[in-house]
Amino acid sequence: MTAKPDLNDCFLHDKDRLKHAEALAILKERIQSVASVETVSLDDALGRILAEDITAPRNIPLADNSAVDGYAFRFSDHDEAGGFFRLSQRVAAGHKSDQPLAPWSAARIFTGAVMPPGADTVAMQEDCETHQQDGQDFVIVPQGLKKGANCRLAGEDVQEGAAILTVGHRLRPQDLAAIASTGVAEIAVYRKLKVALVSTGDELRRPGDLITVGDVYDSNHFLLNGLCSHLPVDIKDLGILKDEAELIENTLASASQEFDVILTSGGASRGEEDHMQTALAKLGQRHMWQLAIKPGRPVMFGQIGSCIFLGMPGNPVAAMVCFMLYARPVISVLGGGAFVEPQRFQIPADFEVPKKKPDRREFYRGILAADDTGRTVAQKFARDGSGLISGLREADGLIEIPEEVTSVNRGDLVSFLPFTGMGVL
């Protein structure tokens, strides 16, 4: 990652700050994977990022088998009136029959059992009647069945040689099931990134500490730690740093030698006590700062050597918004995954914004609800303050209003970004 010249650090109007799309372009241009590869068992692979393609070494399922408990027979022996079949064998799951079905005979078969030679259709046991005559067991199969009913064909799920998963995919429970179905017990994944989590501010205290007027409990630590917990990373808490330039500089310098990512909150603005951006510029390169977004204008991205620096705003709402929009996709790419952008759904607005500032992209906390007709609509959390954690608790996602939009009327379609699509469970 090569550095560009620093952005102009003078006080800018929104039209002169980086637009949201420009910020994403910078992140995509400058970030690449830094994670090495390790082999883990499937038991330890959930949430990890795949480092090798997975293909099917054989058909899945391996052979034609029954999807139900019932009776297997040759469809050619079946007519519109149904069928009266002699029971000639019994096939249980895990046991293979090499005995071909004779004409007008059937096999008692159980779910998952391999179809006997010649059989191509299965009747469900609850639809059949059994009968005994002259010491011989028979089954009456109902009419109306189609050829191949209740039979799972070899390769029906995945055919031999087919791609199942590709490099960079983050593994979900259903993905592990698919890999397990191939018989593979261990897979190559990218190692977890080492992330240092830092809070800054003389006013911050950790829960359990006593506070006085002017102090604030450090909610951002738990917010960012929780957001990171849904990513394949190992997190180390470096605690709360006082607003002291030398302390911040020394901490960043030391952490950059040990960690892949330094994730901070606070200290990223232009105040006299905001030393983070000064330390970053002194120790490394600052690639991005001051965006034309609300909330989250002072979000920072840079690097110290090979260590990536991600500076989130100090206000909790802005910190969460910026993490989901910018930090999460960066961490994903560094760890071998894709640049994951939010899902967007067009939802009618159940609110109004008479006047919005142009040249700035805004993200409101949004709540999904049903209107009088049962239609899903997006409601806006009533208050916009960046320090109101209550809005994050109430919201189902973000409502995104682009730079060129200057007002929102009730009924307008707006982009809704669900939290679940940004890694927030």
Side-chain angles (χ1 to χ4, degrees):
M1 293 176 290
T2 57
K4 286 185 176 180
D6 286 337
L7 299 174
N8 188 341
D9 289 339
C10 65
F11 286 88
L12 303 174
H13 297 292
D14 285 325
K15 66 180 180 179
D16 298 317
R17 291 189 173 92
L18 275 177
K19 300 293 189 289
H20 174 67
E22 294 171 332
L24 293 179
I26 289 174
L27 297 177
K28 291 176 182 178
E29 175 190 352
R30 295 181 180 274
I31 293 297
Q32 59 187 4
S33 175
V34 299
S36 58
V37 177
E38 62 182 358
T39 299
V40 300
S41 70
L42 289 186
D43 286 328
D44 297 322
L46 182 63
R48 302 296 294 274
I49 296 176
L50 193 61
E52 64 180 356
D53 293 340
I54 303 293
T55 58
R58 59 188 65 85
N59 284 334
I60 305 172
L62 187 59
D64 295 353
N65 66 90
S66 177
V68 298
D69 293 342
Y71 300 90
F73 60 94
R74 303 189 317 177
F75 186 79
S76 59
D77 295 334
H78 184 271
D79 57 35
E80 294 182 359
F84 191 76
F85 294 88
R86 176 175 58 86
L87 284 175
S88 60
Q89 55 181 296
R90 183 179 187 275
V91 189
H95 300 274
K96 179 183 176 183
S97 171
D98 294 322
Q99 178 184 348
L101 280 181
W104 290 100
S105 69
R108 178 71 167 111
I109 198 166
F110 297 89
T111 303
V114 175
M115 297 283 283
D120 57 12
T121 305
V122 178
M124 296 177 66
Q125 63 181 17
E126 53 265 43
D127 296 332
C128 300
E129 295 181 18
T130 56
H131 178 69
Q132 193 174 64
Q133 181 176 322
D134 299 329
Q136 174 66 53
D137 291 325
F138 293 86
V139 61
I140 301 172
V141 173
Q143 61 182 0
L145 286 173
K146 295 181 179 180
K147 184 177 181 179
N150 303 310
C151 177
R152 295 183 292 216
L153 301 179
E156 181 179 276
D157 188 11
V158 181
Q159 294 188 350
E160 180 180 350
I164 295 178
L165 296 165
T166 57
V167 170
H169 183 81
R170 190 170 177 214
L171 295 168
R172 306 165 297 170
Q174 56 268 45
D175 300 322
L176 299 184
I179 297 172
S181 72
T182 71
V184 172
E186 295 183 329
I187 56 174
V189 298
Y190 290 104
R191 71 168 176 83
K192 293 183 178 181
L193 296 177
K194 297 171 65 176
V195 176
L197 191 56
V198 180
S199 302
T200 63
D202 289 344
E203 75 281 11
L204 294 183
R205 302 290 182 271
R206 285 288 167 86
D209 295 341
L210 294 176
I211 63 171
T212 60
V213 175
D215 295 336
V216 178
Y217 283 122
D218 181 14
S219 58
N220 277 356
H221 165 76
F222 299 93
L223 173 68
L224 296 175
N225 186 71
L227 290 168
C228 284
S229 69
H230 300 303
L231 294 168
V233 300
D234 286 325
I235 306 165
K236 183 174 181 180
D237 176 23
L238 298 190
I240 299 171
L241 300 185
K242 296 292 186 181
D243 290 320
E244 300 172 6
E246 184 177 359
L247 173 63
I248 290 174
E249 182 179 328
N250 290 340
T251 300
L252 294 186
S254 175
S256 69
Q257 302 300 310
E258 180 182 353
F259 296 93
D260 300 303
V261 178
I262 300 172
L263 178 62
T264 71
S265 65
S269 296
R270 292 192 174 92
E272 293 179 3
E273 297 299 323
D274 293 327
H275 303 294
M276 196 65 71
Q277 57 92 11
T278 302
L280 175 61
K282 184 175 181 179
L283 295 170
Q285 295 87 37
R286 186 180 59 219
H287 303 313
M288 188 179 84
W289 186 42
Q290 295 293 319
L291 307 188
I293 65 169
K294 180 184 179 182
R297 184 174 65 189
V299 63
M300 274 197 298
F301 158 62
Q303 64 187 97
I304 303 172
S306 62
C307 178
I308 296 301
F309 178 91
L310 296 168
M312 302 296 103
N315 285 318
V317 176
M320 182 168 175
V321 169
C322 290
F323 182 92
M324 293 187 297
L325 295 177
Y326 308 115
R328 178 174 175 259
V330 165
I331 292 172
S332 176
V333 172
L334 290 171
F339 193 97
V340 285
E341 296 194 49
Q343 295 175 312
R344 287 173 169 83
F345 300 95
Q346 295 300 299
I347 305 290
D350 192 31
F351 62 91
E352 293 183 351
V353 178
K355 186 176 181 180
K356 171 194 160 288
K357 190 175 182 180
D359 302 315
R360 181 174 69 191
R361 185 164 300 217
E362 299 190 358
F363 296 91
Y364 308 140
R365 281 142 284 174
I367 303 162
L368 294 179
D371 65 10
D372 294 339
T373 67
R375 179 184 61 168
T376 299
V377 294
Q379 297 178 343
K380 176 180 173 293
F381 187 69
R383 295 172 291 164
D384 292 328
S386 291
L388 302 177
I389 300 175
S390 55
L392 296 175
R393 290 191 297 105
E394 295 291 333
D396 301 307
L398 300 177
I399 298 168
E400 180 181 30
I401 308 299
E403 291 85 354
E404 67 274 11
V405 175
T406 57
S407 64
V408 179
N409 297 313
R410 196 176 304 275
D412 288 351
L413 290 179
V414 293
S415 292
F416 189 87
L417 288 56
F419 284 155
T420 53
M422 295 183 282
V424 182
L425 305 180

